[in-house]
Amino acid sequence: MGVYVSTNIDSNKLQSATRPIVWSIAGSDSGGGAGIQADSLTINDLGGHACTVVSAITAQNSQHVQGITATQTAMLIKQLDCLLEDIPPAAIKIGMLANAEQIRCISEWLASKLASYEQTNNLQIPVIWDPVMVSTSGQTLSRYKQPSSYSAYLQLAKYVTLITPNRYELGVLLELSQLPNHAQQEELTNLDNLANFLGCNILYTGGDVRNSELHNAALAISATKESALYSSALDHGSAIDWLAAKAIPFTSPEHQHQRIGFSSPRVVTQHNHGTGCTLSSAIATAMAVGYPLLDAIVVAKAYVHQGLTYAYPVGKGPGVLARKGWPQNLEHFAKIIVPKYPNINQANELSFANVQQPLQVYPVTQSINILKDVLKGGARTVQLRLKNSSSVVYSEQQLEQAIQAAVALGRQYQAQVFINDHWQLAIKHGAFGVHLGQEDLLQADLSKIAEAGLALGLSSHGYFELLLAQQMSPSYLAIGHIFSTPTKSMPSQPQGLKKLEKYCTLMGDRMPLVAIGGIDHTNLRALKQTQVADVAVVRAIEKASEPGKSWQKLQQIWQAK
């Protein structure tokens, strides 16, 4: 349980008056900057409806915590049961738990009441745990070192999707787990070991760590490419969050079971009270709205960066984050670091050919005959996608002959012919461009594609992959699948129009964005309203009796005002 985005959220119905329900199980901050106050503001600001389960009442201001009174466990359970009866969650955020008894109580409730609800309704509800022990602004909040807390903390980890510790909290969790706490320079090894021990995704937040400390730590690591990436990001004043990823539903296998970095420019401000609360509740809300974990982390980190940029004082001490709505400016979004694939992290130094004319309605086909027919019909951008399947297996000779023929047709009709995946043959025969999916992108030699002067199209399936792909400055980005389609088995869920509109707002002015997946004459006008630049069609061409004429009709609809 706890690792799956709630299936009762339909991303195509986000205009509904009903907001997804997000619970915050946390303490009350009388200063209003953290705890359930920060969670409620964040959840509602990002499109959810906040319900609160109060674990403690604190007496605190912007300078210090003067007192904490824990909620009795009987009352804690009453709050949970009462909400589940009438206002069940699409996601849950857990913050400060005041004592071991509360931690144990929440663990047992998740394992029994919530698990029963999930089973009855065929759901798995994401649970994001921010193990609040000390705040970013330096205030100690939880009696975490009581011996009775040890087993309770480890028990709770079994029922959560993601844990979001800061540096200090990571050290405490290592101590509770009785894992060896390595020297500072090996803290990323500590992170991996803890994630493996707990069997849980862990996002280690680095915003509260001084650059000089981590810079020295990075240099002390063996001179690997990962260390160089770590050090380079720090040199530029970045705050890096590291995810030790386990299994993540609705996500490419290539982006699971590894370490991933999220690097953002450090915001120089003392007004940072509530950053951990805001990050974790933003992740929970993004998942409740319908985004998988990696996308939710990307959105949440951008939301925190945006909030810090416009943070404001409320007292004599550290101030609070501003709430500015769903992040839409690319400057707030993190750079993705994937140490497992160093060629990706170096690709921003490459330059690929630009598309010479708009893609418009962009046919994708596995047939040379169809490719020729749509070119005769007037298409000037087309993709040849040859995939081995249970029914079709291409020999090397067949692949090369087909690609050679496609390139020749492109020259004959002065068209932009892209070759899907087979980049070596595309270079050999002088194709206009190459299109790569996320899996093939990680394996291809991008420098050779750039040196050959080819254009590069990349596929993406959500915020995380969109950001990762755009770091390579491709010639265009394909976003899918927008609607359900039987053409290709995908680990991701359909994106829908509302998500597509957000992606276009974020990145539409940087390069052509191409919508793909389930597109035909019935939804072209709706797609155009999202401001996406172009659309790719597969079945609408391949299943047509006259592909060339079908393309013409689709193009007419697309060009109509």
Side-chain angles (χ1 to χ4, degrees), residues 22-88:
V22 182
W23 290 5
S24 166
I25 306 172
S28 173
D29 175 4
S30 55
I36 58 172
Q37 285 82 354
D39 291 346
S40 296
L41 289 169
T42 299
I43 292 164
N44 287 285
D45 198 32
L46 290 175
H49 173 79
C51 294
T52 57
V53 176
V54 182
S55 62
I57 298 173
T58 69
Q60 62 178 293
N61 54 34
S62 66
Q63 295 180 296
H64 53 262
V65 178
Q66 292 186 344
I68 300 176
T69 299
T71 303
Q72 293 182 348
T73 54
M75 187 59 186
L76 201 59
I77 293 171
K78 280 185 179 180
Q79 292 179 78
L80 293 165
D81 289 347
C82 182
L83 283 175
L84 188 62
E85 176 187 335
D86 182 47
I87 316 175

Side-chain angles (χ1 to χ4, degrees), residues 284-299:
T285 307
M287 294 192 75
V289 169
Y291 291 91
L293 180 62
L294 289 181
D295 287 0
I297 290 173
V298 164
V299 170

Side-chain angles (χ1 to χ4, degrees), residues 1-2 113-126:
M1 65 175 287
K113 299 285 184 67
L114 186 67
S116 177
Y117 173 81
E118 289 177 320
Q119 185 175 8
T120 300
N121 294 277
N122 191 29
L123 299 173
Q124 285 185 295
I125 296 168

